[in-house]
Amino acid sequence: MAFDLVFFGGTGDLVWRKLMPALFQAYRHDTLPEGGRIIGVGRDDLSDEQYRQQIQSRFEQVEGDKRPNSEEFARFASLLCYVRMDLSKPESYAALAARLAERETDNVVMYLSTAPSLFTTVCEQLAANGLNTSKTRIVLEKPLGHDLASNRAINEAVGKVFKEQQIFRIDHYLGKPAVQNLFAMRFGNALFEPLWRREHIANIQITMSEELGVEKRGGFYETTGALRDMVQNHALQLLCAIAMEPPINAHADAIRDEKLKVLRALKRWTPETLSQHVVRGQYAAGNVDGQAVPAYRDEPGVSPTSTTETFVALRTEIANWRWAGVPFYIRTGKRMASREAHIEINFRSTPHEIFQSPVGQVNKLVIHLQPKDGLELHLFAQGQSKRGQGSGGQTLSPVHLDLDFDKRFGSERVGAYERLLLDVLDGRLNLFVRSDEQEEAWRWVEPILRHWAADPVGPRPYAAGTWGPSASSAMIARDGFCWSEEI
Ligand code: BG6
């Protein structure tokens, strides 16, 4: 399958940090379709050869085992070429059209890894230059807007030129192997489905914590914050994957229809829930891995009086028959105690206790997304019984079944961007977000943004290297539960 893959923003961070390494992995795994060409587009005046050299030197900064040796790079580099363009200038597009006209391909992918302010112009110009054909697919990277209105404006502008079937909106969390396994676990196995409901589940917790701060992205982050950066997209997509009904088949729209229903059923905010069930925080100076790190307000590009949140914890419910009354907790933040992403399904306790369970512990299923990728099922078992204990008073011990997907599947594992890029080339939309899902997610987060804008208190400080402000623990404790590290 011959393809042309065009990276708008071809010299930008995302391309050399994530996309090129992912394509190289696919090339190495022999899964990249043959006859491909990868065309970087940028403003710099570069020849194909100079672009290849630039990418090669950037590969030096890629994780060791994902880095090509020079012979491997030479082979991979034969796929790379470069077109100089100023995307804001209509006359620039002729150069791209000429390059694409050099050969016949089965499909052409336009990957917009640029500032969203350019999306509309790029789409219009692609159409004006005859570059939108039945073979064309377009990939959009977040941020797709900063609220519902701006998201709609992007979707409408892109929708004027491309059909929904041509549009691949990336949420890289959906490409993570663990998230695909979550779908497999739920819909490829019958075991958990009968338990997957309010009668058996007490609460669900989604944690996505990072140790890193905002790094060099202070300027961007100042106008974004954790709610827009992580909750509106990644966290809500995870919540959908956990809470959705089984789709009628594995086709993209069947899956997306069910996710959309979950987003529509999220409980609407009230003034009371906005003040009780949402906590925003901002990191102060602290220690991460024994290293002193500065406060968010002292990061480059950040205002010393910033009220941007670097942490969010919230509680919501899904108003439908399966989930009514079950709290779903989401928390995410930068400069937290460790880097991990996991989902905990906490089951209800036994209806009648004849053993003593360890205090505060319940049966739970932990879905690890990263750095570990696997499932843990926490149960109780009888260890060595102590002398003198009658069967009535025995205390059970926690034990767990541990399934490590990295160990099981090892090198067959495919990284998020590698998976998503291969799916775009293959035309599979399952792991991409439809415009209505995205808009519904914005509709749900907007009241929080409005509430914060009117709230003079601002985010609560938390020391870098901790699990966030204490208000996050207090929020969950009001329901009689706690975060996993507090047990
Ligand atoms: C991105 C956010 O979408 O996800 C970043 O913009 C964040 O701020 C990143 O660091 C986290 O992704 P991952 O895959 O490292 O968990």
Side-chain angles (χ1 to χ4, degrees):
M1 180 185 64
F3 67 87
D4 274 343
L5 170 54
V6 183
F7 285 139
F8 294 90
T11 53
D13 257 28
L14 184 75
V15 167
W16 70 262
R17 266 185 213 282
K18 301 278 187 193
L19 303 179
M20 287 294 180
L23 285 170
F24 172 68
Q25 287 310 312
Y27 185 74
R28 201 183 233 177
H29 294 150
D30 215 12
T31 46
L32 193 65
E34 283 190 9
R37 202 164 53 157
I38 302 163
I39 306 174
V41 164
R43 286 159 73 117
D44 300 341
D45 189 7
L46 299 176
S47 64
D48 288 351
E49 199 40 49
Q50 284 168 323
Y51 184 59
R52 289 173 192 146
Q53 280 164 11
Q54 193 182 86
I55 296 295
Q56 184 170 26
S57 67
R58 296 276 162 78
F59 262 114
E60 307 283 304
Q61 295 171 50
V62 167
E63 261 175 76
D65 57 342
K66 297 203 170 141
R67 206 180 294 155
N69 62 35
S70 52
E71 189 226 327
E72 279 177 320
F73 186 79
R75 278 188 280 128
F76 176 68
S78 66
L79 311 182
L80 303 183
C81 50
Y82 184 79
V83 176
R84 182 188 182 195
M85 281 175 74
D86 179 343
L87 297 178
S88 62
K89 299 219 168 90
E91 61 275 16
S92 267
Y93 288 77
L96 179 62
R99 200 77 203 237
L100 292 174
E102 284 169 4
R103 59 188 216 134
E104 269 296 309
T105 56
D106 297 302
N107 57 59
V108 179
V109 176
M110 308 287 188
Y111 198 122
L112 268 55
S113 155
T114 62
S117 54
L118 286 166
F119 287 0
T120 309
T121 316
V122 174
C123 290
E124 283 168 4
Q125 288 306 318
L126 290 176
N129 285 274
L131 296 179
N132 178 20
T133 69
S134 55
K135 297 179 190 170
T136 312
R137 292 169 194 155
I138 184 146
V139 185
L140 304 176
E141 263 291 341
K142 73 186 263 277
L144 287 182
H146 57 273
D147 56 14
L148 178 60
S150 52
N151 176 254
R152 269 203 183 139
I154 293 175
N155 282 335
E156 272 169 28
V158 177
K160 272 192 192 138
V161 176
F162 296 97
K163 297 198 189 85
E164 187 64 39
Q165 293 304 315
Q166 293 176 280
I167 308 173
F168 292 70
R169 293 180 194 79
I170 293 234
D171 183 312
H172 78 280
Y173 263 69
L174 291 181
K176 290 188 190 277
V179 177
Q180 286 153 68
N181 259 315
L182 172 56
F183 287 112
M185 181 196 72
R186 285 205 56 204
F187 307 129
N189 294 280
L191 193 62
F192 288 110
E193 175 53 24
L195 303 177
W196 213 254
R197 52 205 328 110
R198 61 191 301 280
E199 289 82 355
H200 302 289
I201 293 179
N203 70 83
I204 292 182
Q205 304 179 10
I206 300 174
T207 296
M208 294 180 295
S209 60
E210 295 182 82
E211 281 185 3
L212 289 179
V214 284
E215 307 292 291
K216 292 179 188 144
R217 296 160 79 222
F220 159 78
Y221 203 80
E222 272 290 84
T223 56
T224 309
L227 188 73
R228 290 185 174 98
D229 194 38
M230 296 292 286
V231 177
Q232 184 275 341
N233 34 62
H234 309 320
L236 287 184
Q237 284 294 326
L238 294 181
L239 181 140
C240 286
I242 298 166
M244 66 193 264
E245 294 299 317
I248 54 166
N249 57 37
H251 295 159
D253 276 334
I255 295 169
R256 299 184 311 175
D257 287 346
E258 295 305 336
K259 286 196 287 164
L260 180 63
K261 282 189 210 159
V262 173
L263 293 167
R264 288 196 173 138
L266 283 174
K267 238 185 174 173
R268 301 292 121 175
W269 296 104
T270 63
E272 201 205 344
T273 56
L274 282 169
S275 64
Q276 298 282 309
H277 294 166
V278 188
V279 174
R280 63 172 158 161
Q282 187 189 73
Y283 62 83
N287 269 285
V288 173
D289 275 344
Q291 296 282 321
V293 295
Y296 174 69
R297 289 180 177 186
D298 295 328
E299 299 276 18
V302 173
S303 154
T305 57
S306 171
T307 58
T308 300
E309 81 286 358
T310 60
F311 172 95
V312 181
L314 59 82
R315 174 202 195 279
T316 186
E317 286 179 28
I318 297 172
N320 64 17
W321 274 44
R322 189 188 281 266
W323 295 116
V326 177
F328 282 72
Y329 304 100
I330 292 174
R331 69 174 165 169
T332 182
K334 298 218 180 265
R335 285 281 189 238
M336 293 181 63
S338 75
R339 172 182 183 252
E340 49 192 272
H342 61 254
I343 302 165
E344 277 198 21
I345 317 287
N346 289 305
F347 290 92
R348 292 190 189 279
S349 344
T350 48
H352 169 66
E353 291 213 347
I354 61 166
F355 295 107
Q356 284 172 19
S357 324
V359 178
Q361 301 205 30
V362 290
N363 290 146
K364 68 180 167 186
L365 177 68
V366 186
I367 301 158
H368 287 282
L369 274 67
Q370 64 190 28
K372 192 174 161 185
D373 170 7
L375 295 177
E376 263 172 34
L377 186 59
H378 292 230
L379 304 167
F380 300 118
Q382 189 134 8
Q384 210 56 7
S385 70
K386 289 199 189 106
R387 261 201 306 165
Q389 271 189 335
S391 63
Q394 275 170 351
T395 301
L396 300 182
S397 310
V399 288
H400 60 262
L401 294 168
D402 193 347
L403 189 57
D404 181 332
F405 289 130
D406 274 328
K407 255 196 211 143
R408 170 62 184 82
F409 296 110
S411 59
E412 293 165 43
R413 308 246 77 191
V414 170
Y417 272 103
E418 184 181 349
R419 161 86 287 128
L420 295 173
L421 282 163
L422 289 173
D423 280 2
V424 176
L425 294 174
D426 211 26
R428 277 167 55 83
L429 276 159
N430 295 30
L431 299 176
F432 297 85
V433 183
R434 210 167 54 191
S435 62
D436 49 5
E437 284 179 77
Q438 232 175 26
E439 289 177 17
E440 201 55 48
W442 276 116
R443 194 169 288 121
W444 185 76
V445 300
E446 269 202 338
I448 307 176
L449 293 169
R450 282 198 296 271
H451 173 71
W452 285 348
D455 172 15
V457 177
R460 294 162 194 266
Y462 60 98
T466 65
W467 285 102
S470 56
S472 151
S473 306
M475 176 191 76
I476 188 166
R478 282 198 292 273
D479 292 336
F481 304 126
C482 62
W483 299 110
S484 54
E485 74 280 357
E486 294 169 344
I487 292 173

